[in-house]
Amino acid sequence: MEQPNGERLSLLLWFRLACFYHQSNRLSNDNVGQFDLTISQFDLLVQTQANQPISQMDLAEKLLVTKGSITQMLAKLEQRNLIKREQEWRIKRISLTDAGEALMKEARPDQSAFQSSLFNPLTADEQKQLNTLLKKLQKGIESQTN
C-alpha cells in the first residue's frame, strides 16, 4: 500500500532525527571516553553538578532512566570517587566529590565544544530555526501524552 506523501515525509524526518541522535551519541561516547566516561555517566555528572545535592529519584527523572539504571551508574561513579551519596531519612542525595568537580572542570567544556561542533554545518540562523521547530515538535508530543 502506497503511503501518502505527508506521511512518507514525516517518517523520513523521524528517521533522520533518529540517525542524527544515534550518531551524535556514538561520537559523544567516543569523545568523553578520553575521560574514562560514557555519555550516560557524563550526563549524570552534569545533572548532579547543576542540581546538587539532588535526590536519586529526581536525578533518574531528569535523565529519563529507571531506578535500576541510575543505581548501577551511581555505584560505578561512587567507586571512582566522583560522586557521594548521603542518606537523608528515606532520600538519597547525590553530590559531586572534589575529584568529580575536578573531572567536570576539564570534561564539561571539552564535551560542550564537541557537541556544539556537530551543528557547525548549519548557520546561526538555521540553528535558531531548528531549535524553534524542535521545540514545536516537543510541545506537540507533550500535548499527546498529557
Side-chain angles (χ1 to χ4, degrees):
M1 183 167 134
E2 186 83 14
Q3 293 174 336
N5 280 344
E7 187 177 304
R8 186 168 182 241
L9 179 58
S10 295
L11 290 173
L12 180 61
L13 289 170
W14 176 85
F15 178 75
R16 290 199 190 284
L17 280 171
C19 284
F20 178 81
Y21 172 77
H22 290 296
Q23 288 172 327
S24 69
N25 258 4
R26 190 173 60 249
L27 292 170
S28 290
N29 258 321
D30 291 345
N31 190 63
V32 297
Q34 67 183 309
F35 302 102
D36 196 26
L37 294 171
T38 65
I39 195 63
S40 298
Q41 291 170 334
F42 176 81
D43 288 345
L44 185 149
L45 292 172
V46 167
Q47 286 300 323
T48 300
Q49 188 177 44
N51 299 289
Q52 59 189 333
I54 185 170
S55 75
Q56 191 166 322
M57 191 172 78
D58 288 345
L59 187 55
E61 198 172 287
K62 284 188 179 296
L63 295 171
L64 305 172
V65 297
T66 64
K67 284 174 26 177
S69 295
I70 195 84
T71 301
Q72 246 182 346
M73 281 196 290
L74 289 170
K76 288 179 183 178
L77 294 172
E78 196 172 34
Q79 285 173 348
R80 291 183 55 195
N81 192 35
L82 298 176
I83 58 117
K84 59 184 171 193
R85 288 190 261 197
E86 295 171 333
Q87 191 78 32
E88 188 178 291
W89 195 54
R90 288 189 190 176
I91 299 170
K92 288 183 183 173
R93 299 230 178 254
I94 316 300
S95 300
L96 296 185
T97 62
D98 290 342
E101 290 284 358
L103 179 66
M104 290 308 287
K105 190 174 181 180
E106 186 180 353
R108 194 169 183 170
D110 182 85
Q111 179 62 11
S112 292
F114 172 76
Q115 285 186 307
S116 180
S117 76
L118 297 176
F119 293 91
N120 284 346
L122 302 177
T123 66
D125 284 342
E126 288 170 332
Q127 289 179 33
K128 288 176 188 172
Q129 184 180 14
L130 178 60
N131 185 49
T132 300
L133 294 171
L134 291 172
K135 280 198 285 190
K136 190 173 182 178
L137 282 175
Q138 190 170 5
K139 283 182 183 177
I141 286 176
E142 288 168 359
S143 72
Q144 289 181 15
T145 58
N146 291 335

